[in-house]
Amino acid sequence: QECGQGTVAVRRPAAFCMRRLVCYSLVATVAAMSMGIAAAQSPNGVRTLDPPGAIKAEGTWSLGARAGDFVFVAGMQGVDPATNKLVPDPEARIRQAFLNIRTIAQSEGASLQDCVRLTVYVSDLKRVAPLVDKVQAELWGKPPFPPRTMVEVRRLFDDDLIEIDSVFYVPQKK
Amino acid sequence: QECGQGTVAVRRPAAFCMRRLVCYSLVATVAAMSMGIAAAQSPNGVRTLDPPGAIKAEGTWSLGARAGDFVFVAGMQGVDPATNKLVPDPEARIRQAFLNIRTIAQSEGASLQDCVRLTVYVSDLKRVAPLVDKVQAELWGKPPFPPRTMVEVRRLFDDDLIEIDSVFYVPQKK
Amino acid sequence: QECGQGTVAVRRPAAFCMRRLVCYSLVATVAAMSMGIAAAQSPNGVRTLDPPGAIKAEGTWSLGARAGDFVFVAGMQGVDPATNKLVPDPEARIRQAFLNIRTIAQSEGASLQDCVRLTVYVSDLKRVAPLVDKVQAELWGKPPFPPRTMVEVRRLFDDDLIEIDSVFYVPQKK
């Protein structure tokens, strides 16, 4: 809730008539302005990311941040942005976690190939690691893959099976 | 001990008389020179951080490093810099860990709002995560918050309840 | 296997005669071209690292990546690149993990002193941490050491005792 940064207008379907369109344009402008205040750059130029189509961050964290030529993405779980719930099937959930990462990275112009660092936290290395390999092979399509660290921890949020931390490189337009 | 990098002179109060002042100036100069040798920039320009007011790193690690436009801070626990001991109360200890991070970041001109990445390792996710949320809400004041990953590991140094790894963005003055 | 990126030709000894030399040059050129395709820079300029002398990455990950002025190294274990097996002795294995990191960093012009961030995952903090300190003191020679985070996780690949994630700073030649 605290992190809803005025993007609701963006997700609404197009207006039905001119009058409504004007109204919506105003709303969009105000929303953009308030977003400009709420999600403004930090004193040193860190820009918080909250792209359309991504999951919603609830609590004291953000989905990602652009800083210079790098994009930092928060630890992602396999939450379906449509339902805001974890995807039930383990393999599909792992795929969803990577797709959530990709949505945030792509909003800044980065592809999966621009990932420079993956830290994969899992609940069961022997069971989950092969699924991660399978999903990455499918999503990346071919080598090269990013440098990766994968470890089994004692617990993840929601007693989940995977959470993935990532960093991307995508130089700023100058 | 190994990491005490000649900053002692900086922390001493001003001298009482001219003679002592001259003496101290000499000491300060020598200290700065030896610091220049001990904590010099790396071959490629990494600058090790050891700001006044921060805890002391004992062992084969440093508190932080400046590299280009980024500041990397070591995993911080809730150690009180005045006593060099862990703060007893859990919530106060978590706050102290963030304050220790802030001291290092601020010494390079970064605020908490310039944080681009938090990795929070805890001993008990269900008990500690709500305290982390509370302390962050208080210290940041309002959104946006940085991208964050929080996981429960099996053990931290001193059997502690939290250790926080962080990265900040603060462009170099040119 | 998937990650063998056409570097075999580089490792072969020099040719014996002119004819063979020409032949090998052709092979090398083709290898370089195919490598240029396989390990090409990402759309945004991430360059995957696979230097001679390093261990071979098998699976959906790479040893490291250069992005702008930073080099990101994958989680390294104490695998001997000559045998592709874990070094038996614990202390020697920890040293090998750092040496594997150094090989990758050095291939991009970085020394251990240019490391800006170490994340050390261990299986047994009380037993392994003192060995890490000892090995780092030996390999770095003197302070400053990099910012470090060390935590005990529940399991590492191969039920190993250590895996080390690292980032280096080494500005690009312009």
Side-chain angles (χ1 to χ4, degrees):
Chain A
Q1 261 96 320
E2 306 180 67
C3 291
Q5 284 150 355
T7 59
V8 173
V10 183
R11 291 169 158 198
R12 290 275 155 74
F16 301 119
C17 68
M18 204 56 191
R19 184 169 187 145
R20 189 166 273 179
L21 189 65
V22 170
C23 173
Y24 272 179
S25 296
L26 261 171
V27 168
T29 306
V30 172
M33 286 174 63
S34 71
M35 189 166 67
I37 294 163
Q41 291 197 2
S42 79
N44 282 300
V46 176
R47 195 155 43 79
T48 302
L49 307 178
D50 184 18
I55 63 163
K56 294 288 111 187
E58 286 176 17
T60 57
W61 59 286
S62 296
L63 299 181
R66 152 76 82 167
D69 294 340
F70 290 89
V71 172
F72 298 83
V73 179
M76 284 289 127
Q77 297 172 262
V79 173
D80 183 343
T83 63
N84 209 30
K85 286 184 178 148
L86 285 172
V87 173
D89 174 65
E91 183 181 323
R93 191 187 296 176
I94 293 168
R95 187 176 295 107
Q96 186 63 55
F98 279 107
L99 294 177
N100 289 343
I101 289 171
R102 191 175 68 176
T103 299
I104 298 163
Q106 282 184 339
S107 77
E108 285 294 310
S111 70
L112 288 178
Q113 278 69 32
D114 299 312
C115 182
V116 294
R117 190 167 175 283
L118 284 178
T119 313
V120 183
Y121 303 96
V122 300
S123 61
D124 184 339
L125 200 51
K126 288 175 183 176
R127 189 168 70 94
V128 178
L131 296 176
V132 174
D133 281 345
K134 186 181 173 201
V135 168
Q136 280 199 260
E138 175 204 316
L139 290 179
W140 265 259
K142 60 175 186 185
F145 299 96
R148 188 180 74 182
T149 300
M150 197 182 326
V151 300
E152 179 179 317
V153 294
R154 196 165 62 187
R155 194 184 290 272
L156 296 167
F157 274 118
D158 313 307
D159 290 316
D160 203 356
L161 54 85
I162 195 165
E163 181 159 341
I164 310 169
D165 188 18
S166 57
V167 181
F168 291 77
Y169 177 69
V170 46
Q172 295 171 288
K173 305 283 181 296
K174 298 204 173 160
Chain B
Q1 264 96 315
E2 308 180 67
C3 289
Q5 285 150 355
T7 59
V8 174
V10 183
R11 292 165 159 200
R12 291 273 158 72
F16 301 120
C17 68
M18 205 55 193
R19 185 167 186 144
R20 190 165 272 182
L21 189 65
V22 170
C23 174
Y24 272 178
S25 297
L26 261 171
V27 168
T29 306
V30 172
M33 285 173 63
S34 71
M35 188 167 66
I37 295 163
Q41 292 198 2
S42 80
N44 282 301
V46 176
R47 195 155 42 79
T48 302
L49 307 178
D50 184 19
I55 62 163
K56 295 287 111 187
E58 286 176 16
T60 57
W61 59 287
S62 296
L63 298 181
R66 150 78 81 168
D69 294 340
F70 289 89
V71 172
F72 298 83
V73 178
M76 283 290 127
Q77 298 173 262
V79 173
D80 183 342
T83 63
N84 209 30
K85 287 183 177 149
L86 286 171
V87 173
D89 174 66
E91 183 183 324
R93 191 187 295 179
I94 293 167
R95 187 176 295 107
Q96 186 64 56
F98 280 107
L99 295 177
N100 289 343
I101 289 170
R102 192 174 69 178
T103 299
I104 298 164
Q106 282 184 340
S107 77
E108 286 295 308
S111 69
L112 288 178
Q113 279 68 33
D114 300 312
C115 182
V116 294
R117 188 165 177 284
L118 283 178
T119 312
V120 183
Y121 305 96
V122 300
S123 60
D124 184 338
L125 200 51
K126 288 176 185 174
R127 190 167 69 94
V128 178
L131 296 177
V132 173
D133 281 346
K134 187 181 172 201
V135 167
Q136 280 199 258
E138 175 204 316
L139 291 178
W140 265 259
K142 60 176 186 185
F145 298 95
R148 188 181 73 184
T149 300
M150 196 182 327
V151 300
E152 179 178 316
V153 294
R154 197 166 60 186
R155 193 184 291 274
L156 296 167
F157 274 118
D158 312 309
D159 289 317
D160 203 356
L161 52 86
I162 194 165
E163 180 159 342
I164 311 169
D165 188 18
S166 57
V167 181
F168 291 77
Y169 177 69
V170 46
Q172 295 171 288
K173 306 284 181 294
K174 298 203 174 159
Chain C
Q1 265 95 315
E2 307 180 68
C3 289
Q5 284 150 357
T7 58
V8 173
V10 182
R11 292 168 161 198
R12 289 275 156 72
F16 300 120
C17 67
M18 204 55 193
R19 186 170 186 143
R20 191 166 271 181
L21 189 65
V22 170
C23 174
Y24 271 179
S25 297
L26 262 171
V27 168
T29 307
V30 172
M33 285 173 64
S34 72
M35 188 167 66
I37 294 163
Q41 291 198 1
S42 79
N44 282 300
V46 175
R47 195 155 44 78
T48 301
L49 307 179
D50 184 19
I55 62 162
K56 295 288 108 186
E58 286 176 17
T60 57
W61 59 286
S62 296
L63 298 181
R66 151 77 81 167
D69 294 339
F70 289 90
V71 171
F72 297 83
V73 179
M76 283 291 127
Q77 298 174 262
V79 173
D80 183 342
T83 63
N84 209 30
K85 287 183 177 150
L86 285 172
V87 173
D89 174 66
E91 184 182 323
R93 191 188 295 179
I94 294 167
R95 187 176 295 108
Q96 186 63 56
F98 279 107
L99 295 177
N100 289 343
I101 289 171
R102 191 174 70 177
T103 298
I104 298 163
Q106 282 184 340
S107 77
E108 285 295 309
S111 69
L112 288 177
Q113 279 68 33
D114 299 312
C115 182
V116 294
R117 189 167 176 283
L118 283 177
T119 313
V120 183
Y121 304 96
V122 300
S123 61
D124 184 339
L125 199 51
K126 288 176 184 175
R127 190 169 69 95
V128 177
L131 296 177
V132 173
D133 281 347
K134 187 181 171 200
V135 167
Q136 280 199 260
E138 176 203 315
L139 291 178
W140 264 259
K142 60 176 185 182
F145 298 96
R148 188 180 74 183
T149 300
M150 197 184 324
V151 301
E152 179 179 316
V153 294
R154 197 165 61 186
R155 195 184 290 273
L156 296 167
F157 274 118
D158 312 309
D159 290 316
D160 203 356
L161 53 86
I162 194 165
E163 181 158 341
I164 310 169
D165 186 19
S166 57
V167 181
F168 290 77
Y169 177 69
V170 46
Q172 295 171 286
K173 305 285 180 293
K174 296 202 174 161

